[in-house]
Amino acid sequence: MARKVFFSVSMSLDGFIAPASAGELMGRQWMELQRWVFPQRFFRENLKLGGGGEEGRDNDILRETFERTGASVMGKRMFDAGEQMWPEEAPFHTPVFVVTHEKRDPWERPGGTTFHFVNDGIEAALGLAREAAGDRDVRIAGGGATILQYVNAGLVDEFSISLSPVFFGSGVRLFEGVDADRVALDQVRAETTQRVTHLTYAVRRR
């Protein structure tokens, strides 16, 4: 069975992880939010964008996050946006379980990614992901509403935020509606690089 359930996201200084509209996901603000990712060698390798790229701690963190992940869970909104934007060889290379009300056969992509559509809620999706992940971790890939459901249900063990020096002003706020009476955090690690600050927390029940 999987070891940990975690999520890892980039977040603006004012607490947003995505624009309000999925149509703006490749817009200026989102590109600024993810600016630390695009130059990294691992990112370029994983999306087959050609050789080159930076190495260093940012690159290591991307690689470590990928290597620890044995399966992912995501919400339907994130899947719908990604279905339009991901390359044919989707960047997960593991089973992905989509929490949805849509009934749909598994969607197998080149490179080892298969999307499975789960109609029985977040716990059912997580159970399937744990089985698929083996001895690796399960990543809650997003979006924000799905991450929050897992946090409030006490199903997340750890998370990392890459805090980018950008303001959004509005959009999808990561912790809007968090159950602060039930969720407590312990800081695990803080690392600052030239482009971003990586913060890692363990999650426990209050």
Side-chain angles (χ1 to χ4, degrees):
M1 295 290 286
R3 295 175 300 172
K4 289 183 178 180
V5 177
F6 79 103
F7 67 87
S8 178
V9 295
S10 297
M11 188 172 78
S12 69
L13 284 176
D14 51 348
F16 297 95
I17 61 169
S21 170
E24 299 174 358
L25 277 178
M26 296 301 287
R28 176 184 58 81
Q29 284 183 313
W30 190 86
M31 296 293 283
E32 289 179 354
L33 180 69
Q34 304 293 349
R35 182 181 294 164
W36 71 276
V37 174
F38 299 132
Q40 306 308 319
R41 176 182 289 273
F42 179 76
F43 175 81
R44 294 183 58 81
E45 289 174 350
N46 192 31
L47 270 75
K48 300 191 183 309
L49 299 177
E54 296 180 5
E55 297 189 26
R57 188 61 188 136
D58 288 336
N59 188 65
D60 292 344
I61 286 171
L62 289 177
R63 187 180 299 276
E64 289 164 5
T65 301
F66 176 84
E67 290 177 348
R68 71 183 284 192
T69 302
S72 295
V73 176
M74 70 178 59
K76 183 63 161 51
R77 182 177 186 271
M78 179 177 179
F79 173 79
D80 286 345
E83 188 176 17
Q84 305 301 318
M85 296 191 307
W86 292 318
E88 183 181 12
E89 187 171 314
F92 301 95
H93 307 291
T94 64
V96 178
F97 296 88
V98 181
V99 181
T100 179
H101 296 296
E102 178 186 13
K103 295 190 181 299
R104 179 170 169 177
D105 291 333
W107 187 41
E108 185 174 351
R109 311 303 296 146
T113 301
T114 300
F115 294 94
H116 303 269
F117 301 89
V118 183
N119 308 128
D120 301 324
I122 62 170
E123 294 194 21
L126 180 58
L128 293 170
R130 284 184 183 277
E131 292 179 13
D135 61 357
R136 291 193 288 170
D137 296 337
V138 173
R139 181 179 183 179
I140 309 302
T146 300
I147 289 172
L148 188 65
Q149 281 185 283
Y150 278 99
V151 171
N152 283 342
L155 297 173
V156 172
D157 301 306
E158 181 181 286
F159 66 86
S160 295
I161 291 173
S162 297
L163 195 61
S164 293
V166 59
F167 291 124
F168 262 44
S170 63
V172 177
R173 192 184 291 277
L174 178 57
F175 293 117
E176 187 74 41
V178 70
D179 189 348
D181 291 331
R182 297 181 60 196
V183 179
L185 307 176
D186 295 314
Q187 184 158 309
V188 175
R189 188 167 54 252
E191 302 179 75
T192 299
T193 66
Q194 184 177 2
R195 289 190 173 91
V196 71
T197 299
H198 302 283
L199 303 170
T200 302
Y201 300 91
V203 184
R204 57 181 171 81
R205 288 187 179 275
R206 187 179 293 282

